[in-house]
Structures are given as structure tokens and as C-alpha cells.
Amino acid sequence: MADVKLHGFWASPFSYRVIWALKIKGVDYEYIEEDLSNKSELLLKYNPVYKKIPVLVHGGKPIAESLVILEYIEETWPGNPLLPSDPYEKAMARFWIQFAVAKASVYRAFFVSTGGEDQEKARKDWLEVLKILEDQALGDKKFFGGDTINLVDISYGVLAYWFKNTEEVIGIKVLEPTTLPRLSQWVQNFMQVPVIKENIPDSHKMLAYLRIVREKIIVAEQHNK
Amino acid sequence: MAEEVVLLDFWPSPFGMRVRIALAEKGIKYEYKEEDLKNKSALLLQMNPVHKKIPVLIHNGKPVCESLIQVQYIDEVWHHKSPLLPSDPYQRAIARFWADFVDKKIYDLGRKVWTTKGEEQEAAKKEFIESLKLLEGELGDKPYFGGENLGYVDVVLVPFYSWFYAYEKCGNFSIEAECPKLIAWAKRCMQKESVSKSLPDREKVYGFVLQLKKAFGIE
């Protein structure tokens, strides 16, 4: 029986954050795929507050929320550090990780936008967020973590893969070399990192899935109007 | 080298209160600067250009933003006194989980309670109480979320106690009636100087909320 288990979902960027961190740290774990339309008893027991994945279970003890899990992994397996040791630099890394949380609603607005003025505004707002990220968080570094990826890069994996696929679903490009040269380069560099490259969902499946999810949300929002 | 600590803050902000409590627990001397949020200082805009929000903790000229990050930073830099986070990684994860829960729920739901009416307000009150009950469950029989002493979750949650009176008046309900254990916990925290000196008077907060309601045109 594995000491470390991960309850995840194949299409979830949050699930992948945990997978990448565990792999970088060389931690053996058992992966349990959850059917989100039919959640397991175990998942509901391990995460009664949100009933969501990912949940990491270590020695029978569960931890929920991907960012909490990432900090736990970092502290429990200190080899191959994924956060700076200096308290100030650590605070800055956490700041940029939280920036994504603060701007999630801007991402969502773009994700569900269907056209016209609304979509143009959503695109502009989202582009502004990405510009701040490129300019102030990434700067001229290869990765947010410097020469190698760290928790900040891992938490922004959602941009490198899920957002790029979203652009294809919506048919609008925002994160491109002409508008965001350094961030675009970061996407390429990030996707080439072996642990990332070898642990990423299938593109075809992902595109199909994103299309379905987007449709569902758009229909639901229209019903709520 | 002398430590220079400055806190840019706004007196009714629960997020600012968290930092005040953490600094007081550690016995850190600092300069408190009150910001007028309708007329933000050049210093604030320079130190937090991304969000332009308070609180901002400035340590030897370098800014740290976001209250949970600030409290963790304070705990890490001044680690020799009154530790706020537990030392065990699993206990730390639990503390971070609940701090994150407070951030996801309490501020927004509380805000809905004083800014809405009718069905929307009832729904907000219900979810607000449910969230407090979950927190009560996590507290259990411990005197503090941190165990025998004030900890990270205590520091993160107790500032909202100064706003409970305003929520109750606006929502016409009693939080104590629904969550007596949580109120007992809050009063226990208030017996500590680090907390009582960091939280504003509840009547003052209620007065501030009434002013805001008038300004926003909310009845």
C-alpha cells in the first residue's frame, strides 16, 4: 500500500500541479482518478469542506487545496527545493502565486466570453493581467524560479497548457510572441522541461473536454440571466 | 542593524488587523501609517503597484503585500518568539487550509450580509453561519485554533470579530445564538493585548459601515 496517494482528475491543472511537484521531488505515489460526476466515498471523506480534487493523502492523512498541498510537499521533501529559502524572496514567490488566484475571475470572464464588446473587454483585461505577470514577475528570467522551475512556474502551468488550449477553443490568441514575447518564450521553455513534457494530458482529449466545459458554463450562465 | 518596520494600513481593515496582531505577538516595534483609501499615498502606490491595496508591510525598505503572506513572513523572520504556525508540516498544512477557507468565505459573505437585502441577504447569512460552524468544528475543544496559544488561524480569523456587530445589525441576526463556541473563542482572544489593541471598537466599525452604505446608496 502506497504511503502517498493523490486523488486527481485527468483534465485538471490543479491536479497536475501536485503531480509535477511530486515527480520533481522523486516521491512515489499512487494516483487515483476521480469521476467528478460520481465522486468516491473516500474523496468526500477526505475533503468534506469542498469535495474537490486534488487531495493528497500522506500516511492516511488528507490535505486539500493545490497551493496548500504544494507548500506541504515542499516542506516534507526538502530535496530539489521549489521555493527560495530567503524569507523575503519566499514572500515574493507566494505573492506571484496568489496573483493568479486574485485574477482568476478575469481568466474566467475571458473563458466564457462569446463575442462582441464583452469578449473584447475580457480579452483586454486578461492581456493586462498577463502583461503584469510578464513584466514584473518573470522579467528577463528564463523561468519564474530563475534558471529552473519552482512553485511559481508550477502554479502557472495552467497558462502554458490549459490557457493555450483555451485560445484554440475560443479562436482568439492573447498569449503570443507579438504581444507577450517573454511570457511566450516562458511557455515554450516550460513545456520542454522533462517532468512537464512527460506529465501532461492528451491534447485532443483536452480540447474536446474544454469545449464541452465551456459550452456547459455558457449555457448555465445564459439560463441565470 | 536596526530593523525598520512600517505598516501601511486602514483602521477598519481586517487584513490590516491580522498584521497588527502578528507584529504585537512578536513584540516588534513598527511605524503605523494610516492610509486614506480615497487618496492613496505615493508611498502606497510605489510599494504595492500591482494591487494598490493595504496592508503593506515595509521591512527595511522592502515591501511585502497580501496579509496571509505578511503574517507568514513575520512568523519566519521573527521565528524565535511566539511562533504562529506549527512546526509539523501536516499541522501547518491544516492551518493554511483553514486560513485559506477564511479568505475564501468570511470577507465576501460578510460583505454580502451588509450590502444586500431580501433573499440575497438571507442566502448570504445562511452561508456565513454555515462557514462559521465549520470553523467551530475545526476549533473543537481547543482554547485557540493554534492549540494552547494563539496561532496562524486565530490571527487570520479574529479580526472579523470586530465586524460581527455590524453584520448582526445589518442582517438582523445574532451570530452568538448560532455560534456560541466561536464567540467564546473570540472573547478569549480579545483578552490578549496583542488582539484587543489591534481591533477597533465595534461601534466604530458599525458607524463606518453605515457611512459606506450611505455612500453606496444601500438602504
Side-chain angles (χ1 to χ4, degrees):
Chain A
M1 188 171 92
D3 195 30
V4 180
K5 299 186 202 216
L6 172 62
H7 289 250
F9 179 60
W10 72 271
S12 163
F14 309 106
S15 196
Y16 270 91
R17 286 171 172 174
V18 181
I19 290 171
W20 294 329
L22 288 171
K23 296 262 179 194
I24 289 171
K25 300 285 190 175
V27 177
D28 279 327
Y29 66 98
E30 180 191 337
Y31 178 79
I32 296 138
E33 178 71 26
E34 286 283 342
D35 173 359
L36 299 187
S37 60
N38 186 22
K39 292 173 180 177
S40 73
E41 283 297 308
L42 266 185
L43 177 63
L44 301 178
K45 178 179 99 160
Y46 286 146
N47 191 0
V49 174
Y50 301 117
K51 305 173 175 54
K52 287 180 169 182
I53 59 90
V55 174
L56 185 77
V57 188
H58 187 197
K61 300 195 287 190
I63 301 158
E65 289 303 296
S66 66
L67 298 183
V68 175
I69 297 170
L70 289 181
E71 294 253 13
Y72 175 79
I73 291 171
E74 175 62 8
E75 287 174 359
T76 306
W77 293 281
N80 289 335
L82 293 172
L83 273 180
S85 50
D86 170 67
Y88 187 77
E89 294 305 319
K90 200 184 290 195
M92 285 312 299
R94 286 176 174 149
F95 175 83
W96 288 112
I97 292 171
Q98 279 306 313
F99 180 72
V101 178
K103 300 299 175 184
S105 58
V106 183
Y107 182 113
R108 194 180 189 280
F110 179 68
F111 182 71
V112 303
S113 66
T114 44
E117 265 180 44
D118 277 353
Q119 187 164 61
E120 183 47 28
K121 179 173 192 305
R123 187 194 67 84
K124 267 190 171 156
D125 288 346
W126 182 236
L127 177 62
E128 210 181 288
V129 167
L130 294 180
K131 281 200 160 137
I132 294 173
L133 198 63
E134 179 186 70
D135 199 48
Q136 299 189 34
L138 184 64
D140 294 319
K141 303 196 300 290
K142 183 177 185 192
F143 296 112
F144 292 98
D147 293 327
T148 53
I149 63 171
N150 74 356
L151 287 191
V152 184
D153 299 89
I154 286 173
S155 68
Y156 281 104
V158 61
L159 271 187
Y161 183 74
W162 282 262
F163 181 63
K164 293 306 287 171
N165 277 304
T166 296
E167 283 180 328
E168 222 182 291
V169 166
I170 298 181
I172 297 182
K173 290 217 183 299
V174 184
L175 179 42
E176 314 174 85
T178 44
T179 48
L180 294 153
R182 289 173 292 178
L183 199 59
S184 297
Q185 188 60 54
W186 170 81
V187 168
Q188 295 217 18
N189 293 337
F190 181 79
M191 294 306 292
Q192 284 309 307
V193 173
V195 73
I196 309 296
K197 206 166 157 183
E198 291 155 21
N199 295 285
I200 205 86
D202 172 77
S203 271
H204 292 284
K205 264 181 99 178
M206 180 52 77
L207 279 172
Y209 181 77
L210 282 173
R211 284 199 173 98
I212 294 171
V213 166
R214 186 165 172 264
E215 259 311 299
K216 275 193 181 152
I217 299 177
I218 288 170
V219 166
E221 299 217 330
Q222 278 171 0
H223 276 187
N224 289 337
K225 282 193 181 151
Chain B
M1 179 173 104
E3 302 272 21
E4 202 202 83
V5 181
V6 178
L7 177 64
L8 306 182
D9 200 348
F10 179 51
W11 69 268
S13 163
F15 308 104
M17 291 173 218
R18 290 168 173 175
V19 188
R20 293 173 223 163
I21 298 169
L23 289 167
E25 278 288 301
K26 303 285 186 175
I28 299 162
K29 288 199 176 25
Y30 66 99
E31 185 190 347
Y32 179 94
K33 283 191 169 172
E34 184 72 24
E35 283 283 336
D36 173 2
L37 299 187
K38 288 184 251 88
N39 186 20
K40 292 174 180 177
S41 72
L43 182 63
L44 173 57
L45 300 177
Q46 183 202 357
M47 290 286 148
N48 190 358
V50 173
H51 300 303
K52 304 175 176 57
K53 287 179 170 180
I54 57 89
V56 180
L57 180 75
I58 310 172
H59 184 205
N60 295 332
K62 297 201 291 188
V64 180
C65 304
E66 296 302 298
S67 63
L68 294 188
I69 296 174
Q70 290 154 344
V71 173
Q72 288 181 85
Y73 176 80
I74 289 167
D75 203 38
E76 285 160 19
V77 172
W78 290 277
H79 56 264
H80 46 274
K81 188 178 175 194
S82 302
L84 296 171
L85 273 158
S87 46
D88 170 67
Y90 186 72
Q91 294 306 320
R92 289 162 76 88
I94 298 302
R96 286 184 172 126
F97 174 87
W98 288 105
D100 175 68
F101 176 83
V102 172
D103 261 12
K104 278 180 167 59
K105 300 283 186 185
I106 306 302
Y107 179 75
D108 285 335
L109 289 172
R111 194 167 200 279
K112 276 195 179 149
V113 168
W114 70 262
T115 54
T116 64
K117 288 188 302 186
E119 262 181 54
E120 219 187 323
Q121 191 186 50
E122 288 308 307
K125 279 159 65 180
K126 185 166 178 270
E127 212 191 324
F128 180 74
I129 292 294
E130 272 166 16
S131 302
L132 291 185
K133 286 193 161 144
L134 279 172
L135 285 160
E136 268 190 335
E138 173 54 24
L139 178 66
D141 293 320
K142 303 193 298 291
Y144 304 101
F145 286 91
E148 293 304 310
N149 291 306
L150 213 65
Y152 184 56
V153 180
D154 302 276
V155 172
V156 165
L157 179 60
V158 79
F160 291 99
Y161 179 62
S162 64
W163 281 70
F164 280 4
Y165 180 67
Y167 296 152
E168 287 174 322
K169 295 288 268 192
C170 295
N172 193 30
F173 68 133
S174 162
I175 296 172
E176 186 158 15
E178 303 274 0
C179 306
K181 268 182 138 178
L182 200 72
I183 298 302
W185 158 82
K187 289 180 175 170
R188 194 176 301 130
C189 290
M190 286 294 283
Q191 290 182 356
K192 289 186 166 280
E193 217 178 64
S194 60
V195 177
S196 61
K197 290 205 164 165
S198 301
L199 267 53
D201 172 67
R202 64 186 202 167
E203 288 281 0
K204 213 180 158 194
V205 172
Y206 181 47
F208 172 70
V209 167
L210 289 177
Q211 263 181 8
L212 282 179
K213 281 171 78 113
K214 213 170 161 195
F216 291 152
I218 306 164
E219 279 157 48

